[in-house]
Amino acid sequence: GTKPTIREHGPRTVEVLMLDFTGQIYHETLTVECLHYLRPQQKFPSIEELKRAMESDVLQIRKWGSGTV
């Protein structure tokens, strides 16, 4: 997305959240497969609300990973 909460008209980027990963892979090439659609991009009123949404996203992702959804 374009990170609308951070900047008004940023470039399109892709961010990948790798839960529980502790390795160092900066400057490495990754192949990413999208398995589920989480939510549309949105602009949050504050960074704190963005963080809360991301915490909710992580809970949803963990549910998918555990097979409870």
Side-chain angles (χ1 to χ4, degrees), residues 6-65:
I6 306 299
R7 64 179 78 90
E8 197 62 35
H9 300 288
R12 282 197 186 276
T13 61
V14 174
E15 293 182 72
V16 177
L17 177 60
M18 299 172 65
L19 301 178
D20 306 318
F21 180 78
T22 59
Q24 293 295 322
I25 56 172
Y26 286 98
H27 307 293
E28 298 292 332
T29 300
L30 299 177
T31 300
V32 177
E33 182 178 358
C34 296
L35 301 175
H36 297 278
Y37 179 78
L38 188 57
R39 62 175 168 81
Q41 173 177 279
Q42 62 190 99
K43 182 176 182 174
F44 291 92
S46 69
I47 296 294
E48 289 307 314
E49 289 194 41
L50 170 61
K51 288 178 183 179
R52 281 193 288 277
M54 292 173 70
E55 289 169 0
S56 177
D57 294 346
V58 168
L59 292 175
Q60 184 66 39
I61 293 165
R62 289 194 187 281
K63 286 180 184 178
W64 282 330

